[in-house]
């Protein structure tokens, strides 16, 4: 679930009075999401999402995220929009947490990925990348390749082995292969960079009447290789429930992307290592949470081992043809 | 959180087509609630709640609950109303679960109980009791006094002792005192009976603009002593965060109740033992869940020990004056 912090109704009413969005009608916690507390808020003027930013979010970076969402909307990308209070502020404090109200986005995220989702997803991702080109302030990817070694080390070898014997050695070996091959690493050619979403899983993409209706949850967005965002989507959208890679999904996703922004040859060539890195990133953060989440915590940690066959798959791919390009 | 079951968008769309409530606009899991999966559903015609009934609910009893909600509304009690499909059915199946759509109730449940909530709460409870008098089908309280001994036994002595040394003996002694003193037990006079809510905690009571706007979550409702519902509210609403009983809250609650339905002398007299029983009931079900919830479960079990000082308080109360009557 994603309600870590409860808000007294007095505090909420007082908070709402500083906005020009009407009076409180309904207020319910949202089950989706794991990083922040989210509430579906209805006032006499409409619907909104109230987000309380919990510990993992760096407060100093919140203006970057909120500014990025505003910028994207100004470029025609449908995403939640921060609502300014009567003083023009979008970032506020509520229940001792940084807090923001954003607009409500209609649509439903797909519980099951189908082929029809993939091409619109690719298009929307490319549109996000193009729109981000004019948002010039950079935000480093704190979960990029430089973070993976320390993250694995922080998991403690014996606890990793308890998750699956041999896992620690397999991940260390994969890292020793992926990091030196990473674009931009010690003389490797870099790839086109820009603002990426970096967490575009199905629960962050809404569809309505068979069309993509918007993107949400920009709190991992950062400045990185654009093609890495595709590699994340390959991991998040293109494996069937039994763990088999779905090349048809992948082909449609990339076709959709290239409808808007054609990939360079270097980006296609780098796709296997980018996809390996993306699998590694989600495997490692899940592994860390798996090992470090106390029993009885509010959020059930996700199984890191779901990403091991994906990582192995990407390690065996020779070039972009493995992804159906 | 309260989303145990995910629903594919295809299944959801198909399900909605069997209702005459428009097309899907938005669909989000609701964080509140622990027994069932609840979703806030918006269609082109309005807002609804979709509930999937999970394992703890007895399917055969669902028509009783849905019928009770319909009956209450017909008597002027504001609560969610089951929506019938095109064939006139309210109880359906979705994602292999019994499922129902109910109307959306505006309002916000109080995260902090304040004095102003208590009198309206008492009134609403009495109105529910009066409205229930003409709903004649009975449903036994499966969590009544006959259940408490077996529930304690099912918790296993050594695991109860691990929660707090001496707890098992204290609860056994309290049970040996409460059960024989229970109204209706072996020659004890009974109390006025009827349909009770049996779980009227703050998160099941909505307020809007300082007025009570409705009651929700009738899935523990049953036929039992009306005053036992008050005893549950005394436990759920009338203890401050530090565990101190708030006699002013209690007095307002009972005054509100008696604005609508005056208590009999026997009901006032029985309030201490009813309140002891109510504390015992919530302590025991929490204790059972605390001991039996696996690490990593979706729902964090609530601390049973919150109810131990409440039980002790009620055991020391001599008569209704202890509750501010």
């Amino acid at each position: 679930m994603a309600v870590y912090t409860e808000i007294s109704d007095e505090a909420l009413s007082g908070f709402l009075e500083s906005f020009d969005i009407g009076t409180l009608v309904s207020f319910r916690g949202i089950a989706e999401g794991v990083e922040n507390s989210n509430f579906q808020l209805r006032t006499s003027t409409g619907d909104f999402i109230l987000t309380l930013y919990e510990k993992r979010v760096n407060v100093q970076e919140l203006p970057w995220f909120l500014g990025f969402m505003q910028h994207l909307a100004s470029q025609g990308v449908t995403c939640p929009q921060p609502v300014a209070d009567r003083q023009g502020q979008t970032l506020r404090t509520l229940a001792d947490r940084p807090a923001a109200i954003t607009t409500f986005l209609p649509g439903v995220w797909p519980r099951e990925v189908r082929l029809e989702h993939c091409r619109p997803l690719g298009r929307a991702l490319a549109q996000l990348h193009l729109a981000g080109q004019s948002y010039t302030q950079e935000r480093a990817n704190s979960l990029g390749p430089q973070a993976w070694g320390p993250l694995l080390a922080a998991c403690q070898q014996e606890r990793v082995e308890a998750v699956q014997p041999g896992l620690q050695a397999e991940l260390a070996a994969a890292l020793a292969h992926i990091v030196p091959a990473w674009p931009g690493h010690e003389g490797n050619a870099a790839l086109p960079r820009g603002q990426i979403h970096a967490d575009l899983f199905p629960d962050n993409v809404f569809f309505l009447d068979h069309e993509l209706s918007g993107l949400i949850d920009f709190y991992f967005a950062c400045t990185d290789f654009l093609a890495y965002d595709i590699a994340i989507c390959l991991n998040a959208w293109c494996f069937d429930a039994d763990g088999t890679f779905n090349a048809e999904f992948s082909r449609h996703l990339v076709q959709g992307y290239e409808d808007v922004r054609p990939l360079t040859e270097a980006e296609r060539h780098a796709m296997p290592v980018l996809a390996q890195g993306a699998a590694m990133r989600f495997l490692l953060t899940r592994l860390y949470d798996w090992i470090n989440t106390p029993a009885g915590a509010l959020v059930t940690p996700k199984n890191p081992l779901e990403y091991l066959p994906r990582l192995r798959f990407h390690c065996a791919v020779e070039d972009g043809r493995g992804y159906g390009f």
Side-chain angles (χ1 to χ4, degrees), chain A:
Chain A
M1 64 101 89
V3 175
Y4 300 89
T5 304
E6 281 297 357
I7 304 163
S8 77
D9 30 333
E10 276 183 320
L12 179 61
S13 301
F15 183 74
L16 288 182
E17 277 166 19
S18 63
F19 289 83
D20 186 22
I21 59 171
T23 57
L24 183 60
V25 172
S26 169
F27 185 65
R28 283 193 161 108
I30 294 175
E32 286 94 344
V34 296
E35 293 291 326
N36 301 312
S37 296
N38 290 297
F39 301 86
Q40 191 158 336
L41 166 70
R42 173 172 299 177
T43 73
S44 48
T45 69
D47 290 278
F48 303 90
I49 302 293
L50 170 65
T51 300
L52 297 192
Y53 300 98
E54 303 289 346
K55 287 176 191 152
R56 284 226 226 185
V57 175
N58 182 343
V59 183
Q60 297 178 324
E61 297 190 315
L62 286 172
W64 188 92
F65 297 123
L66 297 176
F68 185 41
M69 289 152 73
Q70 289 173 309
H71 180 86
L72 288 176
S74 76
Q75 303 293 307
V77 174
T78 307
C79 62
Q81 285 306 289
V83 176
D85 68 9
R86 297 177 195 272
Q87 264 72 52
Q89 303 293 315
T90 54
L91 184 58
R92 298 285 312 274
T93 301
L94 180 58
D96 295 325
R97 302 283 189 290
I101 292 177
T102 55
T103 53
F104 177 89
L105 213 61
V108 179
W109 62 267
R111 271 66 178 173
E112 273 174 356
V113 178
R114 293 197 305 277
L115 184 61
E116 69 179 78
H117 297 127
C118 297
R119 195 155 183 161
L121 168 70
R123 279 198 201 111
L125 185 65
Q127 283 157 355
L128 183 157
H129 290 169
L130 293 187
Q133 294 292 314
S134 43
Y135 191 65
T136 53
Q137 200 189 334
E138 298 216 345
R139 178 181 177 262
N141 184 357
S142 56
L143 292 170
Q146 80 295 342
W148 302 336
L151 208 45
L152 179 58
C155 288
Q156 303 168 46
Q157 188 162 349
E158 68 277 16
R159 303 194 68 177
V160 176
E161 288 305 289
V163 174
Q164 180 167 304
L167 182 59
Q168 212 277 344
E170 182 169 356
L171 296 180
L175 274 183
H177 163 77
I178 297 167
V179 174
W182 200 252
H185 181 86
E186 293 184 9
N188 297 346
L191 297 174
R193 279 165 52 89
Q195 313 302 1
I196 70 169
H197 184 284
D199 193 38
L200 203 56
F201 276 67
D203 57 348
N204 289 331
V205 181
F206 285 5
F207 288 83
L208 193 59
D209 298 332
H210 301 281
E211 296 194 3
L212 193 150
S213 61
L215 309 177
I216 66 165
D217 200 352
F218 289 81
Y219 301 105
F220 286 104
C222 57
T223 316
D224 206 337
F225 302 131
L226 302 179
Y228 181 54
D229 235 2
I230 302 175
I232 289 170
C233 289
L234 291 175
N235 279 281
W237 293 75
C238 300
F239 286 85
D240 293 338
D242 66 358
T244 311
F245 183 71
N246 190 320
E248 202 181 1
F249 284 13
S250 164
R251 191 162 52 242
H252 277 244
L253 194 163
V254 176
Q255 279 173 353
Y257 191 88
E258 295 205 297
D259 288 345
V260 177
R261 177 184 172 266
L263 290 172
T264 67
E265 198 48 50
E267 285 177 309
R268 288 166 173 271
H269 180 74
M271 201 53 73
V273 72
L274 294 174
Q276 293 158 22
M280 180 64 77
R281 173 257 185 266
F282 290 102
L283 196 161
L284 286 174
T285 50
R286 285 183 172 203
L287 183 64
Y288 182 87
D289 289 346
W290 189 263
I291 286 173
N292 291 290
T293 300
L298 268 178
V299 168
T300 309
K302 293 173 181 163
N303 189 348
L305 293 177
E306 278 180 25
Y307 276 81
L308 190 56
R310 299 182 199 197
L311 175 63
R312 288 174 179 166
F313 170 82
H314 297 306
C315 287
V317 169
E318 304 258 321
D319 59 30
R321 281 172 295 179
Y323 298 112
F325 299 171

